[in-house]
Structures are given as structure tokens and as C-alpha cells.
Amino acid sequence: MNSTLTTAPGRHDHPPIQTQSHPVRRVGTLDRIALHLGVALIKWGRRPQLVQSRERRANRYEQQLARLERERQFERNYRLNTQSVR
């Protein structure tokens, strides 16, 4: 079963030639303004938040105080335990 099929010789126009042209629709000024406004709103909505909320600053301060307290307790326990070994 070694048969090979070939296409009939002929003329193939790819892509087909268009005889009629479509009128080009121009974009109006109002459409351009609306597009630029939409893009600007999307960019503005995705900007990073540089201003920290009052709650976030207070939370960070509390975390810092807790970290300092843990370090102080660790130092105290370390000194108590190392002095009792001697």
C-alpha cells in the first residue's frame, strides 16, 4: 500500500484578491479621550500604596515592643541559667 496522491495541477490564489475595499472608520477625538482616561484609571488603580494606615503603623510598633520584650526575657533567662552552672 504505497500509493501517493497528488493534487491536480492548477492555479491557487492565496489569499484571494479582494476587488472591493472597505471604508476605513476614523477614531474620533471623544473615543481617544475615553481610551486614555480608561488606561489612566487602570494604572492609577494598580499603583502601590505608599501611605501606611494608622492601624498598620500601630501594629508594627506593637510587634517591635513584643520583639524587644522577648529578647530581654531571653537575655535574663540566659544569664540566670549560665550563672547557676558555675
Side-chain angles (χ1 to χ4, degrees):
M1 185 145 233
N2 292 333
S3 62
T4 304
L5 299 175
T6 60
T7 59
R11 185 172 175 191
H12 299 284
D13 290 332
H14 293 289
I17 299 172
Q18 295 181 355
T19 57
Q20 298 175 1
S21 63
H22 299 318
V24 178
R25 181 173 176 252
R26 303 293 294 178
V27 179
T29 307
L30 187 61
D31 292 331
R32 286 181 190 264
I33 292 171
L35 176 66
H36 285 289
L37 178 65
V39 170
L41 286 173
I42 290 172
K43 285 182 179 179
W44 183 78
R46 293 184 179 179
R47 74 191 190 288
Q49 291 183 341
L50 299 177
V51 179
Q52 293 182 355
S53 67
R54 188 176 291 178
E55 182 178 332
R56 186 177 294 177
R57 282 185 289 185
N59 190 14
R60 188 180 315 158
Y61 180 71
E62 290 173 0
Q63 289 175 350
Q64 179 67 20
L65 289 178
R67 186 179 305 116
L68 291 173
E69 181 64 24
R70 280 194 311 267
E71 290 175 4
R72 192 179 66 77
Q73 286 292 331
F74 176 77
E75 285 286 331
R76 181 177 177 273
N77 288 336
Y78 179 77
R79 288 182 181 165
L80 287 173
N81 289 332
T82 55
Q83 288 179 357
S84 62
V85 174
R86 288 183 188 181

